[in-house]
């Protein structure tokens, strides 16, 4: 079987800097031969994304600003992508946000605004971008997102983002059911903790990492590259029978009881 992604085009949403999991995914897809389209939240990230993409050894990448809270921006981004490249074969949604004050203390203190913001950016956006991307996946496709164990179980300080990830996990399943008939698969990777810009916002993140080093079956935190390789699998033909699934790439931590 040919594992190459040569001749395929993938949209990667959510590269902020070189530590972003999205960047690990972009590199893995690039190494497999794919052409990449990058979207970023605001002008602030454009230079960083372009500089990273420049370090890849090809010059046919595309770049679009797309704030996923803005329906018009999503519509315009995918209309522009359709115009510029035509067909796409997959999309990696690597986007989440919550207010810093909602990622510490107790979940019960979450404000309505904070709750809705986290749901909007971290969960609803997957449905919104999938709807827009569907029309460009005329040859079938693979959509993937990034979730975390805090959506399945209580993880201290993860709070409002845990509830948003539970919503994201359910969104993956409903989208998989809707889009399967169009040959489009939808899955999530539940990544173990990785030190990124977003992770910095989670209270006492260091102790979460330490727990992985001490107790996860593989006794080490996962890397961007490991998540990237799982994303490559989900984008490739190798995973063609898998949809609506949440794959844990977490050094085995999620199998543990207390
Ligand atoms: P990151 O900060 O590098 O990426 C988060 C991205 O979300 C950024 O690029 C940011 O610009 C983007 N974003 C935020 N609001 C947006 C908006 N309104 N419109 C468009 N983009 C927006 O951090 P990361 O850890 O690479 O996060 C990527 C994904 O991985 C997130 O969904 C996160 O919850 C998930 N995840 C992270 C970890 C971890 O430990 N780092 C573990 C499991 C899952």
């Amino acid at each position: 079987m040919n594992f190459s992604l040569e001749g395929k085009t993938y949209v990667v949403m959510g590269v902020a800097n070189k530590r972003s999991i999205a960047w690990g995914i972009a590199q893995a897809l690039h190494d497999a031969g794919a052409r990449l389209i990058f979207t970023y939240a605001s002008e602030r990230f454009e230079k960083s994304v372009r500089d990273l993409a420049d370090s890849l050894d090809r010059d046919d990448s595309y770049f679009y600003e797309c704030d996923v809270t803005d329906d018009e921006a999503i519509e315009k981004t995918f209309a522009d992508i359709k115009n510029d490249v035509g067909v796409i074969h997959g999309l990696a949604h690597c986007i989440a946000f919550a207010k810093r004050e909602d990622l510490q203390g107790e979940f019960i203190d979450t404000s309505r605004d904070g709750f809705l913001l986290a749901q909007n950016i971290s969960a609803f956006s997957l449905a919104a971008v999938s709807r827009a991307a569907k029309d460009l996946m005329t040859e079938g496709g693979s959509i993937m997102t990034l979730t975390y164990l805090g959506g399945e179980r209580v993880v201290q300080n993860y709070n409002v983002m845990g509830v948003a990830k539970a919503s994201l996990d359910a969104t993956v399943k409903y989208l998989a059911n809707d889009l399967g008939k169009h040959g489009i698969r939808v899955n999530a990777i539940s990544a173990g903790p990785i030190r990124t810009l977003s992770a910095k916002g989670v209270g006492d993140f260091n102790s979460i990492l330490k727990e992985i080093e001490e107790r996860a079956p593989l006794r080490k935190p996962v890397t961007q590259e490991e998540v990237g390789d799982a994303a490559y699998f989900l984008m490739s033909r190798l995973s063609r029978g898998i949809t609506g699934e949440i794959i844990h790439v977490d050094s085995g931590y999620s199998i543990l009881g207390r």
Side-chain angles (χ1 to χ4, degrees):
M1 196 185 292
N2 179 5
F3 304 147
S4 166
L5 300 181
E6 241 14 277
K8 301 270 167 69
T9 303
Y10 296 88
V11 178
V12 179
M13 308 186 80
V15 176
N17 57 40
K18 67 175 194 294
R19 288 179 182 267
S20 296
I21 300 177
W23 178 237
I25 293 173
Q27 286 172 292
L29 300 181
H30 164 79
D31 288 348
R35 170 166 67 166
L36 299 176
I37 295 171
F38 294 92
T39 78
Y40 47 87
S42 69
E43 222 182 305
R44 185 157 72 90
F45 297 104
E46 181 173 359
K47 182 167 175 350
S48 161
V49 176
R50 283 185 183 268
D51 286 351
L52 285 168
D54 278 352
S55 71
L56 301 174
D57 170 25
R58 64 189 289 166
D59 55 9
D60 57 356
S61 303
Y62 283 83
F63 304 87
Y64 307 90
E65 183 177 320
C66 183
D67 176 347
V68 296
T69 60
D70 180 345
D71 285 333
E72 275 176 28
I74 293 174
E75 209 173 295
K76 178 173 182 333
T77 299
F78 284 88
D80 288 348
I81 294 173
K82 188 173 186 178
N83 197 37
D84 293 339
V85 308
V87 177
I88 62 169
H89 301 93
L91 180 146
H93 170 277
C94 314
I95 292 174
F97 186 78
K99 293 182 188 176
R100 189 175 269 261
E101 66 258 34
D102 290 331
L103 296 172
Q104 56 198 345
E106 296 195 344
F107 169 72
I108 200 168
D109 295 324
T110 307
S111 66
R112 188 186 298 271
D113 272 4
F115 186 97
L116 294 176
L117 180 72
Q119 288 282 338
N120 189 13
I121 298 182
S122 317
F124 176 72
S125 65
L126 177 67
V129 301
S130 296
R131 189 160 58 224
K134 169 179 167 276
D135 293 340
L136 282 68
M137 292 189 183
T138 49
E139 298 170 9
S142 173
I143 295 172
M144 58 139 300
T145 186
L146 291 168
T147 188
Y148 179 59
L149 187 65
E152 298 170 64
R153 307 202 199 140
V154 173
V155 173
Q156 204 181 358
N157 292 325
Y158 203 60
N159 297 355
V160 74
M161 189 54 81
V163 177
K165 290 303 191 192
S167 168
L168 180 70
D169 294 355
T171 299
V172 164
K173 293 173 193 167
Y174 279 88
L175 287 174
N177 188 49
D178 286 349
L179 296 179
K181 57 185 171 292
H182 302 291
I184 300 170
R185 300 182 291 109
V186 187
N187 294 288
I189 292 173
S190 182
I194 299 178
R195 207 182 291 282
T196 62
L197 194 62
S198 294
K200 272 195 199 156
V202 179
D204 206 10
F205 185 74
N206 284 344
S207 71
I208 299 178
L209 273 181
K210 190 157 173 272
E211 164 101 352
I212 299 289
E213 279 160 10
E214 288 172 358
R215 295 189 65 233
L218 295 178
R219 298 287 195 279
K220 60 166 204 59
V222 290
T223 62
Q224 260 177 327
E225 291 75 24
E226 287 165 351
V227 178
D229 284 349
Y232 165 34
F233 164 74
L234 284 176
M235 293 303 189
S236 79
R237 263 179 63 71
L238 285 173
S239 60
R240 64 196 179 282
I242 300 175
T243 195
E245 194 62 76
I246 293 165
I247 298 179
H248 292 86
V249 180
D250 65 351
S251 294
Y253 184 75
S254 59
I255 65 168
L256 295 178
R258 198 59 207 170

